[in-house]
Amino acid sequence: MSQVQPAAAGADQAGEGAVVPPDEGVGGGSGDVATTEAQVAVVVSTSGDERRVEYGDDADNEGEEAATVQGSKEGTEELLRKVVYSEEAAYKLYCDYGHRMGFSIRKGKQSYFTGTKRIRTKDYFCSKEGLKEGEKLTDANFNDPHTRTNCRAMVRFRVNDHGEWKVIRLVSDHNHNLARPEERHLLRSARSLIAGRSSSVDAMVYAGYQVQGGAPQLPAGSTSAANNVENSKQHLLLGYGAMAKMLAVGTGDLQSLVSYLKSRANEDGMFYWDVQLDQSGRMTNFFWRDGRSRIDYDCFSDVVVFDSTYRLSKQNLLCAPFVGVNHHWQTTMYGCALLADESMSAFVWLFKSFLESMGNRHPQSIFTNLDQVVSKAIEDVFPNTCHRIAHWHIQKNAHSRLGALNVSKVFNKMFTKCIQGCDSETEFEETWAQMIHEFKLQDNKWLKKLYKLKQKWCSALNKCTFDGGVEYEPQCDSMSNIFNSVADKLTSLSAFAVAVDKLSEDWREKELEEDTRCLQKPPACIIKHSDILNHAAKVYTHRIYKLFETDFLDGCGATKFKELPCEDNNTHQFEMTMQGRGSRVCTVRLNMSTMELSCSCSKFETMGLLCPHALKALSIKNICKIPETYILKRWTKDAKKWVFNPKQYESSYQECMDDDDAYCNYVMRYAYDLVTKSQGQEELRKALWETLENGEKELEKYLGNGTQYAPSYAA
């Protein structure tokens, strides 16, 4: 953001009422807007009445005793009550208020004490203050963060002779939409390097001052407060935001979180937690996951969803879960983070910590929200992982970015088709161009930026990347609301960590219920004597079987086909057209000798299940079983069996035999998995004890100490 310009020549002789022009562009022109594209979404409407106040009113006419408030007083208590001691602290105080309410801030006018350069009054505005020269306000652009709407919301601070900054005027109503709670961390003035709760006392604490009785004291040996602050300026800028937030959290809250994580590590031998320290040794960012999350990741690490849009409002900390999908197509937890610092270095640290906790096993795909910093960190830490921008985040942003277009059914249909309805890059380009032309969106900055990132979100451009169906309904709804019931309702960090663990346990209870259902009986086949459906019912979990069955019925009951000639007698090629799905044609190739199967729709590549077109081809050629190559283990009832037995994979077994660390790692995870499976069932526990005792006896024989056996716990 541009800084306040120095006073013009002669201003220091102009007296108390002399006013310095606001930041470049404030009140008109093309100055820096405090909310940038792709950083803020505004959707919640406030009062429709536009409050008008002249910014240039003489400050001397305003009394110091009580602030004048024009508009709603909701959420203004701290702003009106608090006294700060510097221009920077006043700016941050209003930024804090703006963050809570959902708008970004611009610096404005200031006046000086007569004959000095000491500030007497200072104004701060909503970032949508004023009007840009030549820009017309329309329904489509009114809530665009780059559009000025002549919003009159502002605050005026007055500085007294003791250097105390107090609010003397507040206009609280806005004439535009405000950001929702889950989007407020994207506001530019809330994301600056020195954002967060602050005062001159805070700054002095970070610079090395002692605070006693509420008054800042110089450190021993210091001769000048100004010199000390100047020397530490770079240090403050590098880590001020994170430190200010953690100071606001409080030592007790941090200690309770650390105590909880330590207790979990004592209870769970495979529990992992990590904390990042700032330059002064203060705790800033946390990551943790339990042993079960590691087991689940070992089984289903192909797809990870990382969502950094949730925030704890009281502590102003970002809470970011790592989740995936299990073999029942249910959400599963891989870990969680609390971040005070949203810098590149913080996300790089987090992703490296996550990888370390998971044995440095990289996912095939990772889905995130639209965040440039997160994207760069992923490129650094996950160079071979396909980074995707989740569709639900694009749709959320579209609601605030596209204004009146959101009510157009025609536009929404075309926009959704561009995201996930096109079959090829050519079809996507044609649909996008048609949408831009029909709705005259050539100058829409958000859509321009989105188009540049098309490789990360357009389904037609990612047909060879596995996504596990996380973008399908209803999985998409589940993924987009992970922490809605947790993130903003708790008062302490330890309570949040407990709630995350409780959420994980709830998900695991649902997984156990599905596991039990799969063990009790196979799913009912809608066609009882269909060999291929009975085969699917035998291998797949119930929920995955139902997806398979739907595709089978679509393929065999609602698909027209035409067989094309092939030079190879063992290869058959078909053109498939789904009834009721327009004129889209998919091409299927089937080699009868190798049982290789491919379809141009690429559903198997993205979801791991054969598509209706492929199943139709198998039916035409009287193939009554799913080819073994096309049964993805992650969707089967046996998805979590034999995962840690290295004999299943020759390379893993050889690694265990040759490397002590690899051997120890495999055995510990293998044992942990067996213990987890036996919990809650007495017979299984007895069986596991007997197995361990028998194993111990065999080891003792080899060690030449076979007569000394441990007492039996299996009886």
Side-chain angles (χ1 to χ4, degrees):
M1 178 175 290
S2 53
Q3 300 299 312
V4 177
Q5 300 296 318
D12 53 345
Q13 284 84 33
E16 183 175 320
V19 175
V20 175
D23 293 351
E24 183 183 351
V26 173
S30 57
D32 183 24
V33 181
T35 47
T36 62
E37 193 168 37
Q39 283 186 314
V40 58
V42 283
V43 287
V44 179
S45 194
T46 58
S47 170
D49 299 332
E50 182 175 339
R51 307 280 183 176
R52 296 189 175 272
V53 60
E54 295 301 324
Y55 298 147
D57 290 351
D58 189 356
D60 288 331
N61 294 331
E62 302 177 47
E64 265 188 66
E65 291 76 13
T68 301
V69 180
Q70 211 166 344
S72 170
K73 293 186 178 181
E74 180 184 358
T76 63
E77 294 81 2
E78 181 180 0
L79 179 63
L80 298 175
R81 183 187 72 249
K82 194 166 184 178
V83 177
V84 294
Y85 296 89
S86 70
E87 179 184 353
E88 184 182 66
Y91 173 69
K92 290 180 177 61
L93 181 61
Y94 194 48
C95 279
D96 260 357
Y97 168 75
H99 179 267
R100 291 195 302 273
M101 304 308 294
F103 67 96
S104 202
I105 312 304
R106 299 180 61 80
K107 294 180 180 179
K109 304 173 183 178
Q110 61 198 39
S111 66
Y112 295 94
F113 282 96
T114 304
T116 73
K117 288 190 176 182
R118 288 175 52 215
I119 294 176
R120 173 60 168 158
T121 64
K122 177 70 179 179
D123 292 352
Y124 298 99
F125 305 128
C126 169
S127 65
K128 294 171 78 69
E129 178 267 348
L131 294 170
K132 283 187 179 179
E133 185 177 355
E135 182 176 48
K136 294 182 180 180
L137 293 180
T138 66
D139 289 341
N141 72 5
F142 195 83
N143 286 306
D144 188 295
H146 273 33
T147 301
R148 304 280 187 85
T149 63
N150 205 27
C151 181
R152 297 291 176 166
M154 58 86 69
V155 69
R156 174 169 293 167
F157 286 86
R158 169 179 273 183
V159 189
N160 63 21
D161 293 335
H162 305 293
E164 297 175 336
W165 290 60
K166 298 179 181 179
V167 174
I168 60 170
R169 169 171 290 180
L170 175 66
V171 180
S172 60
D173 282 354
H174 298 255
N175 68 350
H176 55 89
N177 294 339
L178 301 181
R180 295 180 298 193
E182 65 269 23
E183 298 165 332
R184 291 172 188 169
H185 66 285
L186 300 173
L187 295 167
R188 179 172 180 178
S189 58
R191 291 174 63 94
S192 62
L193 284 174
I194 55 173
R197 296 177 180 172
S198 175
S199 68
S200 59
V201 175
D202 296 337
M204 290 178 180
V205 169
Y206 299 139
Y209 288 85
Q210 303 299 315
V211 179
Q212 298 177 355
Q217 305 291 326
L218 285 172
S222 292
T223 57
S224 165
N227 288 340
N228 196 60
V229 171
E230 182 63 28
N231 291 337
S232 62
K233 183 177 180 181
Q234 293 303 316
H235 174 70
L236 294 179
L237 290 175
L238 287 172
Y240 191 94
M243 290 189 288
K245 291 176 186 176
M246 279 309 180
L247 190 66
V249 169
T251 305
D253 205 3
L254 289 175
Q255 187 57 55
S256 67
L257 175 61
V258 171
S259 297
Y260 176 74
L261 297 178
K262 288 170 68 175
S263 68
R264 291 285 286 111
N266 288 332
E267 297 166 0
D268 183 345
M270 283 184 59
F271 189 91
Y272 178 101
W273 67 285
D274 197 4
V275 59
Q276 186 182 31
L277 305 180
D278 63 18
Q279 294 176 347
S280 300
R282 298 179 179 89
M283 295 179 289
T284 56
N285 303 316
F286 290 83
F287 169 74
W288 71 94
R289 62 115 181 102
D290 62 13
R292 177 67 183 274
S293 292
R294 173 62 193 272
I295 300 298
D296 289 338
Y297 186 80
D298 284 335
C299 298
F300 312 114
S301 61
D302 38 24
V303 178
V304 170
V305 177
F306 175 72
D307 195 337
S308 58
T309 61
Y310 300 99
R311 185 172 290 274
L312 296 178
S313 58
K314 180 183 176 183
Q315 295 88 352
N316 196 26
L317 300 179
L318 183 149
C319 45
F322 292 86
V323 300
V325 287
N326 64 16
H327 52 319
H328 300 295
W329 211 34
Q330 298 170 320
T331 308
T332 187
M333 182 70 72
Y334 295 148
C336 186
L338 284 171
L339 302 178
D341 183 1
E342 298 169 63
S343 64
M344 171 74 169
S345 61
F347 284 115
V348 167
W349 168 84
L350 174 60
F351 293 148
K352 286 183 176 179
S353 183
F354 173 78
L355 269 185
E356 180 184 337
S357 78
M358 299 301 187
N360 290 309
R361 186 173 183 176
H362 292 236
Q364 293 181 33
S365 305
I366 185 167
F367 288 79
T368 73
N369 52 303
L370 182 58
D371 188 301
Q372 187 175 4
V373 178
V374 171
S375 181
K376 289 181 178 178
I378 287 173
E379 290 177 12
D380 187 13
V381 182
F382 301 102
N384 299 318
T385 295
C386 178
H387 176 213
R388 303 279 297 278
I389 298 170
H391 293 166
W392 58 86
H393 286 299
I394 294 176
Q395 296 286 9
K396 279 183 179 179
N397 280 323
H399 284 300
S400 57
R401 301 286 186 171
L402 301 177
L405 285 174
N406 288 299
V407 300
S408 169
K409 292 183 178 179
V410 176
F411 173 81
N412 281 322
K413 184 177 181 180
M414 295 181 73
F415 187 57
T416 301
K417 182 180 179 181
C418 288
I419 294 174
Q420 57 187 9
C422 294
D423 193 48
S424 65
E425 184 173 2
T426 301
E427 185 180 4
F428 163 74
E429 295 291 353
E430 291 174 353
T431 306
W432 184 271
Q434 182 184 357
M435 177 185 76
I436 297 297
H437 175 74
E438 285 190 16
F439 294 92
K440 297 179 174 59
L441 297 170
Q442 291 83 355
D443 297 325
N444 187 287
K445 295 179 181 179
W446 183 72
L447 287 175
K448 283 183 178 179
K449 185 169 185 177
L450 191 64
Y451 178 78
K452 290 179 181 178
L453 298 171
K454 61 184 178 180
Q455 196 68 43
K456 292 182 181 292
W457 53 263
C458 176
S459 296
L461 306 181
N462 288 278
K463 297 182 71 173
C464 295
T465 305
F466 186 80
D467 60 29
V470 297
E471 308 250 57
Y472 295 175
E473 297 288 352
Q475 194 63 44
C476 183
D477 289 338
S478 174
M479 289 290 181
S480 62
N481 297 291
I482 296 168
F483 274 1
N484 280 1
S485 60
V486 175
D488 209 34
K489 298 180 181 179
L490 300 167
T491 57
S492 72
L493 299 183
S494 58
F496 172 75
V498 171
V500 171
D501 287 348
K502 176 64 167 60
L503 180 64
S504 300
E505 288 306 314
D506 290 343
W507 289 349
R508 289 163 186 170
E509 283 293 327
K510 293 178 181 177
E511 179 183 337
L512 181 60
E513 291 172 3
E514 282 297 307
D515 284 339
T516 303
R517 194 158 70 103
C518 289
L519 288 173
Q520 289 174 343
K521 60 179 181 179
C525 297
I526 197 166
I527 304 176
K528 292 183 179 180
H529 301 294
S530 167
D531 290 338
I532 198 166
L533 284 183
N534 280 301
H535 183 210
K538 183 179 179 181
V539 297
Y540 289 132
T541 61
H542 283 227
R543 196 169 181 190
I544 299 302
Y545 168 77
K546 287 301 179 184
L547 296 177
F548 181 93
E549 185 181 72
T550 299
D551 283 346
F552 177 80
L553 294 176
D554 280 347
C556 295
T559 303
K560 299 177 181 178
F561 77 94
K562 175 184 177 182
E563 185 164 3
L564 304 177
C566 293
E567 295 180 2
D568 183 359
N569 292 332
N570 289 321
T571 302
H572 302 272
Q573 185 167 312
F574 305 91
E575 286 185 348
M576 304 285 186
T577 306
M578 299 283 288
Q579 298 175 20
R581 309 283 178 89
S583 58
R584 178 172 297 174
V585 176
C586 290
T587 303
V588 179
R589 290 179 64 87
L590 171 62
N591 187 303
M592 295 294 290
S593 61
T594 62
M595 293 310 297
E596 290 182 7
L597 187 62
S598 66
C599 179
S600 60
C601 77
S602 300
K603 180 169 183 177
F604 181 79
E605 286 76 9
T606 58
M607 180 64 182
L609 291 173
L610 290 176
C611 62
H613 322 106
L615 293 173
K616 177 71 171 182
L618 294 178
S619 178
I620 293 170
K621 292 301 175 182
N622 297 316
I623 298 172
C624 300
K625 292 186 69 175
I626 308 167
E628 199 67 28
T629 309
Y630 300 99
I631 300 176
L632 207 62
K633 185 182 178 184
R634 65 117 55 234
W635 296 130
T636 69
K637 299 172 186 177
D638 295 335
K640 302 182 82 169
K641 291 182 180 179
W642 312 111
V643 175
F644 306 107
N645 186 343
K647 290 185 178 180
Q648 296 293 307
Y649 311 98
E650 183 60 34
S651 59
S652 298
Y653 182 70
Q654 193 59 45
E655 182 184 14
C656 284
M657 294 298 101
D658 296 340
D659 186 273
D660 289 344
D661 290 338
Y663 168 76
C664 184
N665 195 317
Y666 266 98
V667 171
M668 288 180 65
R669 286 152 58 204
Y670 201 167
Y672 186 93
D673 186 42
L674 295 176
V675 170
T676 302
K677 290 176 179 177
S678 67
Q679 283 181 337
Q681 299 187 55
E682 185 177 356
E683 291 302 316
L684 290 180
R685 289 185 178 186
K686 285 184 177 181
L688 183 57
W689 275 121
E690 290 174 354
T691 301
L692 292 174
E693 287 173 354
N694 291 333
E696 184 180 17
K697 291 174 182 178
E698 290 298 318
L699 287 175
E700 292 292 345
K701 288 180 182 179
Y702 280 104
L703 295 173
N705 197 17
T707 58
Q708 299 178 11
Y709 299 139
S712 175
Y713 295 96

